[in-house]
Amino acid sequence: MKIQDAYLIVTSPGRNFVTLKIVTESGIHGIGDATLNGREMAVVAYLEEHVIPALIGRDASRIEDIWHYLYRGAYWRRGPVTMSAISAVDVALWDIKAKAAGMPLYQLLGGKSRERVMTYAHCTGKDIDACLEEVDKHVKLGYRAVRVQAGVPGIPTIYGVAKREGERYEPADSAIPAEHVWSTEKYLNHVPKLFAAVRERFGDDLHVLHDVHHRLTPIEAARLGKEVEPYHLFWLEDCVPAENQESFRLIRQHTTTPLAVGEVFNSIHDYRELLENQWIDYIRTPLSHGGGITHVRRIADLAALYHVRTGFHGPTDLSPVCLGAAIHFDTWVPNFGIQEHMPHEEITEQVFHHDYRFEDGHFLVGETPGHGVDIDEELAKKYPYKRASLPVNRLEDGTLWHW
Ligand SMILES: O=C(O)C(=O)C[C@H](O)[C@H](O)CO
Ligand SMILES: [Mg+2]
């Protein structure tokens, strides 16, 4: 099954997406998500200049060998650009293999470990009351789990909170990075009040999550984890920047709040100390940034040794191709925890058609051979790429702060 052609489709139906399509001589094609939010064109250049020319003529069924060819063979290993490019190739090849076998992808991975995949929604509001209304709306839509982020008094704009009520937030919202102001003190004083209010109104059964977006120091994260303990969070996400994995030792010593990490990781090596020391509870690396199915399943297997479960990243800046493949992975992986779900816009769904379904707070995997997502290339052409950047963050005195 030789690779005859491979090319990229860069489109912006609602936001930017980069999709790799691989076509084999037998006529079967597969697609993979190569979107790296705010750095899309770096992955495009990597794939077009360095990867695609070397793929033509290779046997598409040799997924493992192609993975190592692109990873070890490049000499320059790892990093988000390289690993996003490898991910797109890998997921497209698994799509092809499953189509050639006439099977939905989850069957190739080992079959179903569960009937449905629990997912969490984003609930945001300018203040606690607005946030509670969003939680109410999502509970009525059937969600069993919600990520709750509220505006903080005294901080004008908070990343992850929608600009207008009832809207979703867009992670990359301006051509040049917008500058936000951050105050750790105000944030830390406010968050426990938010979770007290959520538990008081919605009781104990709802799974509640929170994302800190890497903004605290280890001792501040320890304080937050400890203070929200009475509200039994499902997880506290990215509470510190994770380059220094030792930070988690300190956090772990102080709190029983479960910790989720890894949406910016792209390799098993990023996790080694965190897992071996049992400092975290959930891994977040999506299939589109962590080297695809071939590599992320190795991370999941390593995590399983330490009772750590999956909780894949699933914002709007990962395309439906990534989400579709993730739902197959989630349906199979023994140590599944939860799947993030930030619904895509209507026009995104028109460009990327898929057979996964949302029902009653869960995703249901489709039975179409492959990962069940395809792209309407003609429609995609109507939405040209627009440069868009994630914001940056400064402290009140102007110091550039962690993202
Ligand atoms: O979905 C999340 O948990 C995020 O943190 C969203 C990220 O900020 C976003 O994907 C960055 O591109
Ligand atoms: Mg996050």
Side-chain angles (χ1 to χ4, degrees):
M1 215 176 20
K2 272 195 181 158
I3 297 176
Q4 187 177 57
D5 193 11
Y7 58 95
L8 292 171
I9 302 139
V10 183
T11 179
S12 192
R15 68 163 346 280
N16 292 323
F17 296 107
V18 179
T19 308
L20 173 68
K21 181 162 178 174
I22 298 181
V23 184
T24 62
E25 276 179 359
S26 64
I28 296 178
H29 75 268
I31 60 172
D33 182 16
T35 312
L36 184 62
N37 195 18
R39 292 292 182 271
E40 293 86 354
M41 300 316 272
V43 186
V44 168
Y46 192 100
L47 280 163
E48 284 185 341
E49 187 61 24
H50 308 293
V51 174
I52 289 175
L55 283 181
I56 309 300
R58 278 178 200 283
D59 180 353
S61 64
R62 295 183 62 172
I63 301 177
E64 192 70 48
D65 183 64
I66 291 177
W67 195 94
H68 289 279
Y69 177 82
L70 295 175
Y71 182 86
R72 297 185 194 187
Y75 186 62
W76 312 107
R77 296 183 183 192
R78 303 161 63 186
V81 174
T82 301
M83 296 306 281
S84 297
I86 295 178
S87 301
V89 173
D90 188 78
V91 170
L93 293 179
W94 277 98
D95 192 24
I96 289 170
K97 196 182 268 298
K99 283 175 179 167
M103 288 178 185
L105 176 59
Y106 75 82
Q107 290 288 11
L108 272 194
L109 295 173
K112 284 189 180 180
S113 297
R114 59 197 51 78
E115 301 310 317
R116 54 190 196 160
V117 166
M118 183 168 70
T119 176
Y120 70 88
H122 284 215
C123 298
T124 84
K126 65 177 186 336
D127 54 28
I128 292 179
D129 285 344
C131 218
L132 296 183
E133 289 315 306
E134 280 297 302
V135 176
D136 188 53
K137 205 160 95 186
H138 284 87
V139 167
K140 286 180 178 143
L141 286 171
Y143 286 96
R144 311 287 208 280
V146 290
R147 180 186 105 148
V148 185
Q149 312 285 132
V152 176
I155 307 184
T157 317
I158 295 249
Y159 177 78
V161 173
K163 287 201 176 113
R164 280 167 290 277
E165 244 150 81
E167 284 186 2
R168 66 201 101 200
Y169 76 94
E170 167 48 55
D173 61 358
S174 55
I176 301 292
E179 303 224 348
H180 292 179
V181 178
W182 176 249
S183 160
T184 298
E185 296 76 10
K186 290 177 180 132
Y187 169 78
L188 282 179
N189 289 334
H190 190 66
V191 174
K193 295 178 194 150
L194 171 65
F195 289 102
V198 171
R199 281 286 175 235
E200 189 177 300
R201 174 144 167 205
F202 297 96
D204 291 331
D205 289 345
L206 185 66
H207 295 307
V208 179
L209 299 79
H210 183 68
D211 191 350
V212 186
H213 288 296
H214 325 261
R215 290 179 176 183
L216 302 178
T217 65
I219 198 67
E220 290 163 352
R223 168 183 154 189
L224 180 62
K226 209 161 149 175
E227 289 188 358
V228 297
E229 270 174 26
Y231 314 116
H232 300 146
L233 266 57
F234 187 92
W235 79 37
L236 189 66
E237 175 183 333
D238 288 338
C239 52
V240 290
E243 289 99 327
N244 177 9
Q245 308 212 346
E246 275 287 321
S247 309
F248 284 82
R249 180 196 301 278
L250 184 144
I251 303 165
R252 199 59 147 184
Q253 278 167 349
H254 288 280
T255 181
T256 57
T257 296
L259 303 173
V261 183
E263 70 181 47
V264 299
F265 290 179
N266 49 66
S267 148
I268 198 165
H269 301 284
D270 296 325
Y271 282 106
R272 235 191 26 232
E273 289 164 67
L274 293 177
L275 291 172
E276 287 174 0
N277 290 294
Q278 307 190 42
W279 288 333
I280 60 168
D281 304 280
Y282 294 92
I283 53 169
R284 300 258 304 137
T285 306
L287 297 179
S288 61
H289 297 155
I293 291 161
T294 300
H295 192 64
V296 175
R297 75 174 174 178
R298 299 213 156 95
I299 305 177
D301 281 344
L302 178 65
L305 298 182
Y306 302 100
H307 305 272
V308 172
R309 293 185 286 165
T310 63
F312 289 165
H313 197 203
T316 40
D317 51 277
L318 308 181
S319 90
V321 180
C322 179
L323 182 58
I327 292 167
H328 283 268
F329 194 100
D330 295 337
T331 300
W332 155 72
V333 72
N335 50 325
F336 170 74
I338 200 165
Q339 170 67 51
E340 182 176 10
H341 179 213
M342 229 178 131
H344 290 106
E345 286 189 27
E346 190 63 42
I347 42 170
T348 307
E349 303 255 329
Q350 284 164 13
V351 170
F352 296 93
H353 28 98
H354 55 77
D355 69 350
Y356 58 79
R357 287 188 295 123
F358 172 80
E359 198 180 284
D360 199 23
H362 294 77
F363 279 120
L364 302 178
V365 76
E367 293 296 326
T368 316
H371 57 46
V373 187
D374 217 332
I375 182 164
D376 181 335
E377 293 179 57
E378 282 312 304
L379 190 57
K381 285 184 191 146
K382 293 196 178 150
Y383 304 103
Y385 166 78
K386 288 187 240 142
R387 181 152 49 88
S389 302
L390 288 155
V392 298
N393 218 8
R394 289 187 188 276
L395 298 181
E396 288 167 306
D397 68 0
T399 308
L400 197 85
W401 195 238
H402 301 299
W403 198 85

